[in-house]
Amino acid sequence: MPAESTPPQAPYGAPPRADAPRKPVTLHRLRAMREAGEKVTMLTAYDAASASLLDAAGVDCLLVGDSLGMVMQGHASTLPVTLEQMVYHTQCVARGNRSAWLIADLPFGSYQGGVEQAVASSVALMQAGAQMIKLEGGGWTAPLVAALVERGIPVCAHLGLTPQSVHALGGYRIQGRDTQSADTLRRHAAELGAAGAAMLVLELVPSDLAADISADYPGITIGIGAGARTHGQVLVLHDMLDITRGPKPRFVRNFMQGAPSVLDAVRSYVEAVKEGSFPDEAVHGYTA
Ligand code: KIV
């Protein structure tokens, strides 16, 4: 082929576009997956290149998580992350993504002030390209969820280990191990479901509790360190690619092991979640 007919190559590793993009993943499609018993896959993405790669690998949902404060910025917690930074990263991910469902975290301090603040912060993330916002906590968050949903903003709630409350929780520890805290989690999940949270992340809770909550939840539950019986799974991209330093939590599998490329590693994550081989409750799950 003559050199002049070769398409120009974009400089600086601009994200490649998938050749044959799949149909965009919608909330309707995600609900149908739940009904059909098909597991939903989610990974974190913080930039255009990884968003494009995850989309091409067939990941259903991309989460612009405030974990970027720890993973990208090197902080010891997610607390220093600002709304401005989340808007910036959401814009980057939206540019690289074509068809995955895009969720962005409301960072600490951007919704604790009440409905008005939560709506304004969510509008900023939606205008940056998010299709759903995620917020942490139960009880006090149910009226916020209802207000956002009423205003046409899809919401993903987050219960169990909620990293923005790390100091109140006394560290990154498993939640809902005793009867009282398990009952509180069940009640909070029921309230969030009734308020209209279409999705619920359950982080670091015993597998049986996550399974019970998932069976009753009207929307889609996504587990991380919550066993295999949620409707889907999420991991922090850098953890499953083994890029992060130090010991990994037990619920993480290194998908780079034996994979010839990052794309292959992400594809095998999607395959493992879809076929039910990840997570393995005996290896990655927790008991009460
Ligand atoms: O911020 C994040 O990445 C998250 C996931 C770990 C669920 O909330």
Side-chain angles (χ1 to χ4, degrees):
M1 188 188 282
E4 57 271 22
S5 66
T6 311
Q9 192 64 45
Y12 314 129
R17 295 295 191 171
D19 294 340
R22 59 185 166 164
K23 273 169 72 177
V25 178
T26 60
L27 194 48
H28 182 78
R29 163 87 188 112
L30 293 167
R31 286 195 179 110
M33 285 167 65
R34 186 222 137 121
E35 291 315 308
E38 179 183 343
K39 297 284 183 185
V40 173
T41 55
M42 186 188 294
L43 284 173
T44 61
Y46 314 120
D47 60 70
S50 57
S52 173
L53 186 138
L54 301 190
D55 185 25
V59 177
D60 296 313
C61 307
L62 307 187
L63 171 63
V64 188
D66 62 356
S67 52
L68 67 85
M70 300 170 83
V71 176
M72 305 295 287
Q73 300 173 337
H75 292 296
S77 77
T78 60
L79 301 185
V81 178
T82 65
L83 180 61
E84 205 183 355
Q85 291 165 351
M86 290 304 299
V87 165
Y88 169 76
H89 285 279
T90 302
Q91 287 167 336
C92 295
V93 169
R95 276 183 221 121
N97 179 41
R98 271 192 169 189
S99 55
W101 180 250
L102 207 170
I103 306 161
D105 262 343
L106 284 174
F108 181 66
S110 73
Y111 58 106
Q112 282 77 1
V115 168
E116 207 176 314
Q117 190 199 21
V119 171
S121 302
S122 302
V123 167
L125 291 176
M126 299 293 280
Q127 288 181 335
Q131 293 165 305
M132 174 178 250
I133 64 88
K134 180 162 83 59
L135 49 75
E136 296 184 7
W140 68 277
T141 58
L144 302 188
V145 171
L148 293 171
V149 172
E150 263 173 27
R151 287 160 178 76
I153 300 172
V155 176
C156 175
H158 184 156
L159 291 176
L161 188 270
T162 44
Q164 292 175 13
S165 306
V166 60
H167 299 306
L169 297 175
Y172 299 101
R173 50 181 75 233
I174 301 153
Q175 303 296 307
R177 274 196 145 152
D178 59 84
T179 311
Q180 198 186 341
S181 62
D183 286 347
T184 304
L185 279 178
R186 283 181 223 274
R187 178 167 50 80
H188 285 170
E191 289 166 359
L192 290 162
M199 220 180 253
L200 169 65
V201 166
L202 293 168
E203 181 166 355
L204 261 193
V205 297
S207 304
D208 286 347
L209 176 60
D212 281 358
I213 291 175
S214 298
D216 293 340
Y217 199 71
I220 303 144
T221 61
I222 304 287
I224 173 164
R229 288 167 283 161
T230 50
H231 305 124
Q233 296 291 328
V234 60
L235 283 177
V236 168
L237 178 67
H238 294 59
D239 284 348
M240 56 82 80
L241 295 179
D242 203 28
I243 296 171
T244 35
R245 278 183 301 141
K248 243 57 74 200
R250 188 155 60 78
F251 61 77
V252 175
R253 181 195 287 177
N254 174 6
F255 283 88
M256 256 331 266
Q257 205 156 37
S261 70
V262 171
L263 184 64
D264 282 291
V266 175
R267 281 193 177 131
S268 60
Y269 166 77
V270 170
E271 201 179 296
V273 172
K274 294 279 183 196
E275 73 182 17
S277 62
F278 177 81
D280 175 348
E281 283 191 359
V283 180
H284 308 108
Y286 300 92
T287 52

